[in-house]
Amino acid sequence: MMRNPLEPKHGMRSDEQHNDPSPASAPSPKTAEEGPVVDAEYAEPNTSAVDQKKVLLKMDLHLIPMLALLYLLSFLDRGNIGNARIEGLVETLNMTGPQYNWCLTVFFFTYCVFEVPSNLILKRLKPSIWLPSIMVAWGTVMTLMGIVQDFKGLLIARLFLGLTEAGLYPGVAYYITMWYCRSEAQFRQAMFFSAASIAGAFSGLLAFGIAKMDGVGGYEGWRWIFILEGILTVLVACVAFFTIYDFPETAQFLTEPERAWVIHRLRYQGSKDSGQMVAESEDFKWKYVREAFTDWQIYLGLLMYWSIVCPLYGTSLFLPSIIRELGYTSSTAQLLTVPIYITAAVLAVAVAWMSDRSGQRSPYIFTCTCAIGIGFIICISASARGGVPGLVYAGIFIAVCGIYPAFPGNVTWISNNLAGSYKRSAGMAIHIGVGNLAGAMSSNFYRSADSPKYILGHALELGFVAVGLCAIALLRWNYRRINRKRDEMPLGKYSDAENSEKGDRAPTYRYVL
């Protein structure tokens, strides 16, 4: 009796089950003359009993809400220092403007360094263990930030916050690729990333309320922002240990035929348009990590990433301060951030839905990045003229509404074009990790000396946007050139094993435009 391929072999971990063949007996491979060439293990599973839309909905309901909550808390804890600043953090700790900027900057040093190791650990360890564990760690650090007494204490706390938070976003972004195909990924990325928009809105509302606790327990209001939000993170992490699902192979909410369908389409998605069905490699080899570090598309993609993330962190860390400098009170500044982020969240999901429907990434990323540029042009013009705070606010509004739809598109586009599970794991971590150094840069764009106009900060953001637009156009041009070249290559030039080993460099692989 043939073993059920969805059941683990004796002693095999759940993440090693990716190497099992798909259900049903494998047919003999065809030659190029007889028709499309197929993997020797390839077999189309019987999906007659599978309602594909229903399966996707089940996955959405079981996976996305918890991922969105995790990222909401991550972004909330990372950016709440901006809210704490306008509630008196700098004055209480006797910090200068440059010292405050250093506290923002050092976060990204450890955040960048630990993203690749974290993603490799996630693949080898269960997500239901790794993600909640790092969440407990950063929630603890956040809580302790509420009792720091000087600049050095805050600086060290921010270093450890970067270290502990490093694995969350690249881990969740990679986790989504283990469940959803390339044509479905951006909508799901946007659904959980829009939690960052909600976090921006919720952060303002929460900080507005928590600041009223000023004096409770002898602590200033800004301290309670850190303490209460850190405790909330730890509590949610304890729940996450029991609510995060690991891999499709072990998903209890899917039936056996549904699991077979999900696994099969993930394994063969990269080559389905080539006529030669080749399974994606799931084995770990250090060469895949090395290939990720030397892949041209990751480094060109970094320029695109920076053009989006510099404005993202610039606005998230300084938006309350910028609005306050326009002449509003601290409480009004907190509340005026809310409509910006809510609108951005809606647009992020809407643009992602259209992108998945069209199967295109670059047109939507390019358009949204243009909106970012337009927003900062308005900010610069209005600030230079002076006396029009409403127009500056409108410029920031437009910029943020371009940032949040562009970001999930940028991450999804690169992940769509990395093949081989471990290469994708490392490549996404490099793309996101090195890309987040933009946060270190943008932390120093908005200097206290430049308030209230912040023309230098807006101009630097605009410069990154211009470079990013060029990178997006060049990425699309090169992907299209390579796809056309591969279309002209004969099928069967390489064996199935060789194509699987080559990953996205195989002639059977087609890049998403």
Side-chain angles (χ1 to χ4, degrees):
M1 185 173 183
M2 189 175 76
R3 182 182 61 83
N4 181 355
L6 293 176
E7 293 176 354
K9 296 176 184 176
H10 179 67
M12 180 182 287
R13 295 191 313 274
S14 62
D15 54 69
E16 292 174 330
Q17 296 167 27
H18 289 278
N19 296 317
D20 288 350
S22 297
S25 301
S28 301
K30 298 179 183 179
T31 65
E33 290 76 17
E34 293 172 335
V37 180
V38 296
D39 188 331
E41 292 186 354
Y42 177 77
E44 187 76 30
N46 181 5
T47 60
S48 58
V50 176
D51 185 334
Q52 298 179 6
K53 291 184 178 180
K54 182 180 178 182
V55 174
L56 289 175
L57 179 60
K58 286 169 67 174
M59 287 163 56
D60 290 342
L61 294 176
H62 284 84
L63 305 177
I64 302 301
M66 181 52 69
L67 297 181
L69 181 58
L70 297 188
Y71 192 60
L72 185 152
L73 292 171
S74 169
F75 207 81
L76 189 68
D77 292 344
R78 188 186 318 169
N80 59 12
I81 190 170
N83 300 109
R85 180 190 186 187
I86 68 173
E87 297 298 341
L89 176 146
V90 173
E91 292 78 10
T92 302
L93 301 184
N94 297 313
M95 291 166 54
T96 64
Q99 286 178 327
Y100 173 77
N101 284 353
W102 265 110
C103 289
L104 302 183
T105 303
V106 296
F107 169 90
F108 297 99
F109 295 156
T110 49
Y111 190 85
C112 172
V113 170
F114 287 95
E115 289 198 351
V116 174
S118 179
N119 253 24
L120 295 177
I121 292 172
L122 173 70
K123 179 64 180 174
R124 302 297 292 175
L125 196 63
K126 292 181 178 180
S128 62
I129 295 176
W130 182 243
L131 294 178
S133 296
I134 61 177
M135 195 175 178
V136 169
W138 96 62
T140 302
V141 172
M142 175 55 57
T143 302
L144 295 176
M145 276 178 60
I147 60 173
V148 297
Q149 298 300 316
D150 54 24
F151 163 64
K152 291 181 181 178
L154 184 61
L155 189 76
I156 293 171
R158 291 286 294 180
L159 273 170
F160 278 96
L161 187 66
L163 187 154
T164 51
E165 271 199 47
L168 194 278
Y169 181 72
V172 171
Y174 173 60
Y175 176 79
I176 283 179
T177 69
M178 293 190 284
W179 288 84
Y180 295 97
C181 285
R182 299 194 297 178
S183 60
E184 304 156 352
Q186 185 173 340
F187 182 63
R188 277 75 192 183
Q189 292 275 10
M191 283 199 292
F192 95 80
F193 181 72
S194 62
S197 301
I198 303 300
F202 188 56
S203 178
L205 290 171
L206 197 59
F208 175 73
I210 295 177
K212 302 297 183 184
M213 295 180 64
D214 187 44
V216 175
Y219 287 153
E220 294 87 353
W222 66 264
R223 293 186 184 276
W224 284 111
I225 293 175
F226 291 147
I227 293 170
L228 294 183
E229 292 181 7
I231 291 173
L232 176 63
T233 298
V234 173
L235 293 176
V236 172
C238 294
V239 176
F241 278 108
F242 306 99
T243 55
I244 293 179
Y245 296 87
D246 292 317
F247 307 106
E249 292 89 340
T250 57
Q252 296 297 317
F253 64 88
L254 297 176
T255 65
E256 185 175 311
E258 290 172 344
R259 288 197 296 270
W261 174 72
V262 171
I263 295 166
H264 176 272
R265 70 200 197 107
L266 288 170
R267 293 191 69 194
Y268 293 93
Q269 60 178 326
S271 60
K272 68 178 182 178
D273 295 328
S274 70
Q276 182 173 346
M277 300 298 285
V278 177
E280 194 175 82
S281 172
E282 295 287 345
D283 299 323
F284 176 76
K285 294 181 181 179
W286 282 109
K287 64 167 284 187
Y288 297 141
V289 179
R290 289 193 297 271
E291 286 177 358
F293 274 98
T294 57
D295 197 326
W296 65 271
Q297 59 177 320
I298 290 177
Y299 294 99
L300 189 54
L302 278 174
L303 298 178
M304 169 180 65
Y305 194 99
W306 285 344
S307 72
I308 299 167
V309 172
C310 270
L312 171 66
Y313 282 118
T315 54
S316 67
L317 294 172
F318 290 95
L319 186 57
S321 297
I322 293 171
I323 295 176
R324 185 182 65 173
E325 294 294 344
L326 294 177
Y328 299 101
T329 64
S330 294
S331 58
T332 303
Q334 302 278 29
L335 295 177
L336 280 175
T337 64
V338 176
I340 296 178
Y341 288 118
I342 295 296
T343 305
V346 174
L347 285 175
V349 174
V351 170
W353 182 82
M354 290 188 289
S355 180
D356 277 352
R357 291 271 293 183
S358 68
Q360 298 268 328
R361 304 294 181 215
S362 55
Y364 299 93
I365 302 171
F366 191 89
T367 301
C368 292
T369 307
C370 285
I372 301 172
I374 292 170
F376 282 112
I377 289 172
I378 294 173
C379 287
I380 293 171
S381 302
S383 297
R385 184 180 185 277
V388 281
L391 193 56
V392 177
Y393 179 79
I396 295 173
F397 204 123
I398 294 170
V400 173
C401 287
I403 292 168
Y404 282 83
F407 187 83
N410 134 73
V411 172
T412 304
W413 196 19
I414 296 298
S415 70
N416 281 171
N417 292 326
L418 294 171
S421 184
Y422 278 98
K423 181 182 178 181
R424 185 183 305 115
S425 171
M428 291 181 69
I430 297 166
H431 180 63
I432 296 170
V434 180
N436 274 315
L437 284 178
M441 293 183 278
S442 63
S443 298
N444 296 284
F445 286 179
Y446 293 93
R447 305 176 306 175
S448 299
D450 298 324
S451 65
K453 294 185 176 181
Y454 294 109
I455 292 177
L456 176 62
H458 297 326
L460 289 170
E461 305 283 24
L462 185 59
F464 273 92
V465 168
V467 173
L469 288 171
C470 296
I472 294 166
L474 189 54
L475 268 171
R476 179 183 173 89
W477 174 82
N478 210 26
Y479 283 146
R480 191 174 183 181
R481 180 186 64 82
I482 294 172
N483 282 351
R484 286 177 173 175
K485 184 177 179 180
R486 290 176 181 176
D487 287 340
E488 296 170 358
M489 296 179 68
L491 295 177
K493 182 176 181 179
Y494 298 100
S495 69
D496 300 327
E498 288 174 321
N499 280 320
S500 181
E501 186 89 358
K502 287 177 177 292
D504 54 80
R505 297 178 181 178
T508 54
Y509 193 86
R510 297 296 181 270
Y511 290 116
V512 173
L513 302 179

